[in-house]
Amino acid sequence: MASFSCKPSDQFTLLLSSVMVCLLIASCAGQLNQKLDITWGDGRAKMLGNGELLALSLDKASGSGFQSKNEYLYGKIDMQLKLVPGNSAGTVTTYYLKSSGSSWDEIDFEFLGNLTGDPYTVHTNVYGQGKGDREQQFRLWFDPTANFHTYSILWNPRSIVFSIDGTPIREFKNLESFGVPFPKNQPMRLYSSIWNADDWATRGGLVKTDWSQAPFTAFFRNFNAEGCIWSLGKPSACGAHDAWLWQKLDPNNLKRLRWVQQNYMIYNYCTDARRFPQGFPKECAVQ
Ligand SMILES: *[C@@H]1O[C@H](CO)[C@@H](O)[C@H](O)[C@H]1NC(C)=O
């Protein structure tokens, strides 16, 4: 990791000052307005309480969204979400990291709503230099509308890991040595939104959004980012001491990942032969 040139003494100063800032504002994790900006939705996105809760809502006229103040080059992002309850068919709640530019990198979680009592679909994708088409979809082993659950993205030089309540559901390994682009030099920001996608989201667009149920609201809290914050053209405030930067799945996590993949995965691009008549993408042989 020669590109991380920040000196231990700088790190210590940074750590110390962020600890002090946190002490001053009492509870850092709770203060969403310190870390996130509401970006669109004309009043449909709201910080509630003392900034410990954020609500995004959607009605017939518009959805809404927020983004992180910081950009990260590698990071571990956690947030708790409580998804739209009841008849949420046609709605999509997104939670993703994305860089800017025309050959962007992106790491996606999307939650596709459904009719009351029917299960959500959790959609994931990874883009490297503007190229995606790496979808995996899952069902959940709980009702994501009844309580808050933690959705995490770990992005480090080894791999990208999607987790829910600490259980990994997908790992996208760094296979650059096989010629697969891996996000590594474009800083990404966290984005989240709720919008209407009833032209495709639920059963390929057959089930339409029931606007009599609007507004549709999803809740967010406890945003936590341990990341290499991008500032003045380089990553800072992280390095050898950040365990997440070197972390890989241990045997127990690998076991849980397999459990999810065997029991809850409903779509995997790597097994969709019809889509790739010319042969599967390279990473499918190794993932
Ligand atoms: C909604 O529920 C139906 C019935 O279980 C299922 O086939 C479908 O995949 C579910 N999810 C979405 C997003 O449509």
Side-chain angles (χ1 to χ4, degrees):
M1 291 308 303
S3 59
F4 287 87
S5 58
C6 87
K7 285 176 269 117
S9 57
D10 294 342
Q11 286 169 23
F12 186 66
T13 318
L14 266 161
L15 178 70
L16 204 64
S17 51
S18 53
V19 165
M20 281 159 63
V21 170
C22 286
L23 288 174
L24 282 174
I25 58 171
S27 145
C28 248
Q31 299 287 323
L32 298 178
N33 45 357
Q34 309 278 329
K35 301 177 183 175
L36 306 172
D37 287 320
I38 287 171
T39 43
W40 62 285
D42 205 14
R44 290 174 183 82
K46 290 191 185 76
M47 300 263 184
L48 304 169
N50 270 330
E52 65 261 11
L53 191 64
L54 198 159
L56 288 186
S57 64
L58 163 75
D59 58 38
K60 201 163 186 179
S62 176
S64 54
F66 66 84
Q67 66 183 44
S68 60
K69 290 186 191 286
N70 285 327
E71 290 182 286
Y72 307 93
L73 190 83
Y74 298 128
K76 183 173 184 294
I77 308 289
D78 297 310
M79 195 155 187
Q80 294 191 310
L81 277 67
K82 188 166 177 279
L83 302 176
V84 176
N87 181 356
S88 59
T91 71
V92 174
T93 303
T94 67
Y95 169 75
Y96 60 104
L97 290 169
K98 187 176 181 294
S99 69
S100 51
S102 58
S103 60
W104 74 98
D105 298 325
E106 186 173 325
I107 305 169
D108 287 337
F109 261 117
E110 290 187 12
F111 306 93
L112 315 186
N114 217 331
L115 296 169
T116 306
D118 280 347
Y120 264 73
T121 295
V122 178
H123 175 98
T124 64
N125 205 352
V126 176
Y127 285 69
Q129 296 167 13
K131 195 195 157 298
D133 299 329
R134 300 197 176 95
E135 299 85 356
Q136 284 189 356
Q137 294 185 333
F138 303 85
R139 292 273 181 257
L140 291 166
W141 50 96
F142 54 86
D143 173 1
T145 72
N147 291 109
F148 282 92
H149 291 270
T150 305
Y151 300 85
S152 314
I153 296 171
L154 169 67
W155 169 35
N156 73 19
R158 287 180 202 273
S159 69
I160 291 164
V161 179
F162 297 79
S163 307
I164 302 178
D165 293 332
T167 294
I169 64 162
R170 173 173 187 180
E171 182 181 28
F172 183 82
K173 293 196 181 97
N174 183 342
L175 297 171
E176 274 190 301
S177 51
F178 293 82
V180 181
F182 186 81
K184 64 163 186 197
N185 46 27
Q186 308 191 80
M188 298 202 244
R189 204 181 281 287
L190 176 76
Y191 296 89
S192 194
S193 62
I194 179 166
W195 50 287
N196 177 42
D198 69 358
D199 51 339
W200 62 271
T202 307
R203 300 200 187 182
L206 286 178
V207 182
K208 296 295 174 191
T209 304
D210 178 1
W211 293 112
S212 73
Q213 306 294 311
F216 301 98
T217 305
F219 293 96
F220 301 76
R221 71 180 190 195
N222 289 336
F223 171 61
N224 242 306
E226 292 179 71
C228 311
I229 293 169
W230 188 259
S231 135
L232 305 174
K234 61 182 171 63
S236 60
C238 77
H241 303 293
D242 293 281
W244 62 267
L245 190 55
W246 315 102
Q247 194 178 327
K248 57 178 187 178
L249 295 176
D250 64 24
N252 183 44
N253 278 323
L254 280 172
K255 212 169 107 192
R256 290 160 76 190
L257 175 69
R258 261 180 257 120
W259 171 75
V260 175
Q261 298 241 326
Q262 279 162 15
N263 295 288
Y264 294 94
M265 188 159 69
I266 54 169
Y267 179 81
N268 182 4
Y269 73 112
C270 280
T271 57
D272 190 349
R274 268 184 311 172
R275 231 176 115 187
F276 301 104
Q278 254 72 289
F280 287 110
K282 276 180 250 169
E283 67 274 17
C284 292
V286 196
Q287 286 286 348

